[in-house]
């Protein structure tokens, strides 16, 4: 049931019934999980703080002793990353759980439940978390783990392809001038343009990922990457001015603070793309091709406006 990555996962079982908790613990340990059982949750807060579990299995009865605030603090997201919560209830407990609006419940088990159901619910919960971790929370594009796996897969099968690294020049002054909310709108727009362009021109063989902030990557077949970049830049430059106020559009620049805190003039944002391919150079792992593409992206940023630069060196 559990994958090899599950072997190190820890599960905290909170229940007033020690024998019930120990039975669950034995079942979970048989699948490689690390577990500990708490019948008095408040007594283990120090341990929870120092070594937060990967999953909390909570008997609904335990929430009737004033521990809701503690549990909410633990699973709400500010506590070293959100801890998934599966709540265990008796047949009449679902109504009470529904009224616990502050508890972000991921799933539930109705007592009594079979061992197979417990293991399935836990496995599905971790699988959902993996899918969430592998996506950028802002754009929902594949994040770092998915990016590395996809690019490494293409390197391993040694098929010709292009890997591009891109970011937005002068994004920080825009954020300072207009605020993070509008900056997020620009990132959403950029993600849509990249995804739609790659999908139109490369179909299922293309890939777009969001590393974080204004850093994006994409891969395509090597023979169409120039067309992909040209269309991305054309679409980006066409839509971008709509994110600026009319007075800034008329001036053609914005006034914002530079990294030293001094007021300065900044041009409109632009899209910089660096492209590395394995057509003439051999890359063995993701870090190599990513470093080359990132360097080429920085080279493209030296010119005003949106540009892409493709590696033509042979090694």
């Amino acid at each position: 049931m559990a994958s090899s990555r599950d072997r190190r996962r820890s599960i905290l079982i909170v229940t007033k019934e020690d024998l019930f908790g120990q039975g669950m613990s034995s079942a979970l340990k048989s699948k490689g999980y690390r577990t500990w059982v708490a019948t008095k949750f408040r007594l283990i807060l120090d341990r929870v703080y120092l070594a937060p579990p990967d999953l909390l299995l909570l008997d609904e009865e335990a929430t009737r002793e004033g521990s809701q605030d503690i549990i909410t603090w633990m699973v709400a997201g500010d506590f070293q990353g959100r801890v998934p919560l599966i709540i265990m209830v008796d047949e009449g407990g679902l109504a009470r759980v529904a009224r616990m609006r502050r508890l972000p419940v991921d799933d539930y088990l109705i007592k009594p439940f079979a061992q197979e159901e417990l293991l399935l619910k836990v496995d599905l919960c971790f699988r959902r978390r993996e899918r969430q971790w592998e996506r950028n929370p802002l754009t929902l594009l594949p994040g770092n783990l998915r990016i590395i796996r996809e690019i490494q897969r293409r390197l391993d099968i040694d098929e010709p392809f292009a890997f591009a690294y891109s970011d937005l020049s002068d994004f920080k002054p825009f954020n300072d001038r207009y605020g993070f909310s509008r900056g997020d709108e620009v990132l959403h727009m950029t993600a849509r343009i990249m995804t739609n362009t790659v999908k139109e021109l490369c179909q299922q063989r293309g890939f777009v990922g969001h590393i974080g902030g204004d850093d994006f990557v994409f891969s395509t077949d090597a023979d169409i990457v120039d067309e992909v970049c040209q269309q991305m830049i054309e679409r980006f430059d066409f839509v971008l001015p709509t994110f600026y106020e009319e007075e800034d559009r008329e001036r053609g620049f914005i006034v914002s603070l530079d990294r030293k805190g001094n007021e300065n003039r900044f041009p409109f944002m632009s899209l910089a793309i660096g492209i590395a391919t394995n057509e003439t150079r051999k890359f063995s792992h993701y870090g190599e091709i990513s470093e080359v593409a990132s360097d080429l992206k920085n080279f493209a940023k030296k010119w005003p406006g949106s540009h892409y630069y493709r590696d033509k060196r042979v090694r």
Side-chain angles (χ1 to χ4, degrees):
M1 179 72 68
S3 70
S4 60
R5 282 180 292 179
D6 296 331
R7 299 300 180 184
R8 294 184 298 275
R9 286 176 172 153
S10 62
I11 299 174
L12 170 59
I13 303 166
V14 181
T15 177
K16 296 173 66 176
E17 305 172 39
D18 186 60
L19 289 178
F20 174 62
Q22 294 300 332
M24 295 175 61
S25 176
S26 296
L28 292 166
K29 285 181 177 178
S30 71
K31 295 300 179 181
Y33 297 107
R34 293 187 293 114
T35 68
W36 75 91
V37 179
T39 55
K40 295 182 179 180
F41 190 42
R42 290 180 176 274
L43 299 181
I44 63 162
L45 283 181
D46 288 343
R47 178 175 178 179
V48 168
Y49 185 81
L50 293 174
D54 298 305
L55 174 67
L56 175 60
L57 280 167
L58 172 67
D59 196 329
E60 183 261 342
E61 289 186 1
T63 67
R64 304 180 197 177
E65 299 181 349
S67 58
Q68 286 195 47
D69 290 338
I70 300 171
I71 298 163
T72 301
W73 163 74
M74 180 176 170
V75 303
D78 295 330
F79 177 71
Q80 303 185 22
R82 190 194 181 302
V83 178
L85 168 63
I86 297 177
I87 197 161
M88 300 172 286
V89 299
D90 55 35
E91 290 187 357
L94 281 179
R96 291 191 297 272
V97 172
R99 292 193 293 269
M100 297 177 191
R101 300 300 184 185
R102 293 184 300 166
L103 282 184
V105 178
D106 294 274
D107 208 337
Y108 65 90
L109 285 160
I110 298 179
K111 301 185 294 184
F113 46 81
Q115 175 177 311
E116 292 76 13
E117 184 180 6
L118 167 66
L119 297 175
L120 177 61
K121 291 273 191 175
V122 168
D123 183 62
L124 291 175
C125 187
F126 279 131
R127 288 177 184 273
R128 284 194 298 272
R129 295 296 292 171
E130 283 183 356
R131 290 194 295 270
Q132 292 170 358
W133 286 332
E134 291 180 350
R135 289 187 177 275
N136 182 278
L138 177 63
T139 61
L140 299 182
L141 287 174
N144 287 324
L145 293 176
R146 286 270 306 281
I147 291 169
I148 293 173
R149 282 206 301 266
E150 171 61 20
I151 302 307
Q152 190 63 52
R153 180 190 68 81
R154 300 198 72 165
L155 290 173
D156 290 343
I157 62 179
D158 200 26
E159 66 175 12
F161 77 104
F163 173 77
Y165 197 122
S166 68
D167 73 17
L168 307 182
S169 299
D170 296 305
F171 180 68
K172 183 181 183 303
F174 178 89
N175 259 353
D176 293 339
R177 167 75 170 84
Y178 288 108
F180 290 103
S181 179
R182 193 175 298 192
D184 287 348
E185 293 177 11
V186 171
L187 296 179
H188 277 291
M189 176 270 292
T190 304
R192 287 196 301 272
I193 287 176
M194 288 187 169
T195 301
N196 291 341
T197 304
V198 169
K199 184 176 180 180
E200 290 171 14
L201 298 179
C202 207
Q203 301 300 319
Q204 299 302 318
R205 293 176 61 78
F207 175 84
V208 181
H210 187 181
I211 294 175
D214 61 324
D215 292 324
F216 294 85
V217 299
F218 61 90
S219 65
T220 72
D221 291 337
D223 58 346
I224 65 167
V225 68
D226 291 277
E227 183 180 1
V228 169
C229 291
Q230 290 163 7
Q231 288 206 24
M232 276 185 187
I233 287 174
E234 180 180 341
R235 294 171 177 179
F236 178 88
D237 288 346
F238 178 78
V239 176
L240 181 70
T242 63
F243 290 90
Y244 290 84
E245 299 295 338
E246 183 176 356
E247 61 177 346
D248 288 334
R249 291 199 299 268
E250 291 177 353
R251 291 186 303 192
F253 62 86
I254 64 172
V255 177
S256 187
L257 300 179
D258 61 22
R259 296 187 181 275
K260 296 182 179 180
N262 301 318
E263 194 172 85
N264 209 335
R265 292 182 177 184
F266 294 91
F268 285 4
M269 286 179 288
S270 56
L271 184 62
I273 306 173
I275 306 163
T277 77
N278 61 346
E279 293 175 294
T280 57
R281 304 179 68 180
K282 178 68 175 179
F283 298 101
S284 60
H285 60 81
Y286 168 79
E288 292 178 341
I289 195 169
S290 177
E291 182 179 6
V292 172
S294 179
D295 289 343
L296 295 170
K297 179 261 298 180
N298 292 332
F299 188 74
K301 292 169 74 76
K302 293 183 177 181
W303 285 273
S306 297
H307 290 280
Y308 74 93
Y309 194 83
R310 181 172 181 173
D311 184 26
K312 296 181 175 63
R313 291 172 291 178
V314 177
R315 185 176 64 187

